[in-house]
Amino acid sequence: MKNIILIAAPAAGKGTQAKMLKEKYNYAHISAGDLLRDAAKVNDETGNYINKQLKDGKLVSEEIMFDILKKRITQADCKNGYILDGFPRTLEQAEYYEELIKTLNYDLGLVIFIDVLKSELERRIVGRRICEECGFIYNINFEDQKPSNDNLCDKCGGKLYQRSDDNKDSFETRYQTYLNMTKPLIDYYENIGVLHKINGGINKETTFNSITTIINK
Ligand code: AMP
């Protein structure tokens, strides 16, 4: 079993890669953003708070994030390995996570940093469209990732939507948060010898090949 942590800026392709890895290796896919988007649907104080943080492109408090993460990684499907997509995003989260896996007797596993230029990220963010039925991700700014029918999924016919934080303003906030809070994790994991850096700027297949080469070593 190899647990995998994916670290990258917003829209670098963590979610897409995690889905592809899940299919190939049957690991559980734990997306911090998806867990929070689900929690934001609950119409109570916590749900409304999460909803606002997501819209503004700001991180959700550690207390809430830890609680949600702990519940998820202790579920049965995580026992055979999992991919963490979007967690940890701060040094405090990384430290919390290490304490948590010690108590659960889980491996830290591999940490993979997917490197993509900011200009490319912005182009991906504003064009991203997601199927509300099957979760498949399209991009209207790239010929090879466009749906053939503007607002409908080619795979299942579901309606496509745009995330409320996939716009230029939220992207700027999210990118600055990434530089200030998440990038320090790269040095942190490099220092403990678990970091693998790959180029995520070509296409999803090339990125996937780089990741599977690391996993299969
Ligand atoms: P993502 O789907 O990974 O792009 O995350 C979407 C949003 O969820 C982020 O912009 C944050 O508002 C929130 N979020 C995701 N992961 C975390 C985390 N580890 N800690 C706090 N907030 C998070």
Side-chain angles (χ1 to χ4, degrees), residues 5 108-112 188-196 214:
I5 296 176
L108 181 63
L110 303 169
V111 180
I112 299 176
Y188 174 80
Y189 285 122
E190 195 152 38
N191 284 337
I192 58 172
V194 293
L195 189 85
H196 299 263
I214 294 165

Side-chain angles (χ1 to χ4, degrees), residues 10-11 14 31-34 36-37 53-54 57-62 65 85-90 93 128 163 165 174:
K14 296 188 297 291
S31 157
D34 284 351
L36 291 169
R37 278 182 282 278
Q53 294 301 101
L54 293 179
K58 293 183 182 154
L59 294 184
V60 166
S61 76
E62 307 287 43
M65 192 65 245
D85 151 15
F87 188 95
R89 254 178 157 102
T90 65
Q93 291 183 3
R128 178 156 67 183
R163 274 170 45 172
D165 56 351
R174 288 158 72 198

Side-chain angles (χ1 to χ4, degrees), residues 107-201:
D107 278 345
L108 181 63
L110 303 169
V111 180
I112 299 176
F113 168 49
I114 308 173
D115 197 12
V116 181
L117 287 175
K118 186 183 178 198
S119 52
E120 169 74 10
L121 295 170
E122 194 171 318
R123 196 164 160 231
R124 290 185 187 181
I125 285 255
V126 296
R128 178 156 67 183
R129 300 290 182 274
I130 306 166
C131 173
E132 64 180 23
E133 295 297 326
C134 70
F136 194 83
I137 301 168
Y138 295 90
N139 202 304
I140 59 167
N141 284 340
F142 297 85
E143 275 312 314
D144 61 338
Q145 295 173 42
K146 273 184 181 171
S148 43
N149 200 321
D150 260 10
N151 297 311
L152 295 177
C153 178
D154 290 344
K155 309 234 169 241
C156 73
K159 253 174 93 178
L160 303 184
Y161 72 96
Q162 184 170 21
R163 274 170 45 172
S164 64
D165 56 351
D166 276 353
N167 59 67
K168 255 188 149 187
D169 285 347
S170 280
F171 170 68
E172 233 1 276
T173 310
R174 288 158 72 198
Y175 192 75
Q176 287 312 318
T177 304
Y178 160 74
L179 289 183
N180 297 333
M181 313 288 282
T182 310
K183 254 200 136 181
L185 288 178
I186 295 163
D187 287 340
Y188 174 80
Y189 285 122
E190 195 152 38
N191 284 337
I192 58 172
V194 293
L195 189 85
H196 299 263
K197 181 174 167 174
I198 60 166
N199 176 7

Side-chain angles (χ1 to χ4, degrees), residues 22-117:
K22 178 185 166 141
E23 218 161 272
K24 185 172 169 81
Y25 297 100
N26 203 23
Y27 294 152
H29 172 198
I30 304 178
S31 157
D34 284 351
L35 291 172
L36 291 169
R37 278 182 282 278
D38 277 346
K41 287 179 194 150
V42 181
N43 190 12
D44 62 8
E45 204 182 317
T46 309
N48 295 337
Y49 157 76
I50 297 173
N51 198 21
K52 171 124 184 40
Q53 294 301 101
L54 293 179
K55 262 204 184 128
D56 293 345
K58 293 183 182 154
L59 294 184
V60 166
S61 76
E62 307 287 43
E63 195 192 348
I64 291 175
M65 192 65 245
F66 292 163
D67 188 44
I68 291 177
L69 192 267
K70 186 173 178 182
K71 281 191 187 126
R72 181 65 188 93
I73 72 166
T74 47
Q75 286 174 8
D77 64 333
C78 294
K79 299 276 184 284
N80 296 326
Y82 54 82
I83 307 143
L84 275 181
D85 151 15
F87 188 95
R89 254 178 157 102
T90 65
L91 282 171
E92 199 179 339
Q93 291 183 3
E95 282 158 12
Y96 168 84
Y97 179 66
E98 262 157 71
E99 287 303 312
L100 178 63
I101 58 174
K102 244 186 242 161
T103 66
L104 296 170
N105 217 5
Y106 288 178
D107 278 345
L108 181 63
L110 303 169
V111 180
I112 299 176
F113 168 49
I114 308 173
D115 197 12
V116 181
L117 287 175

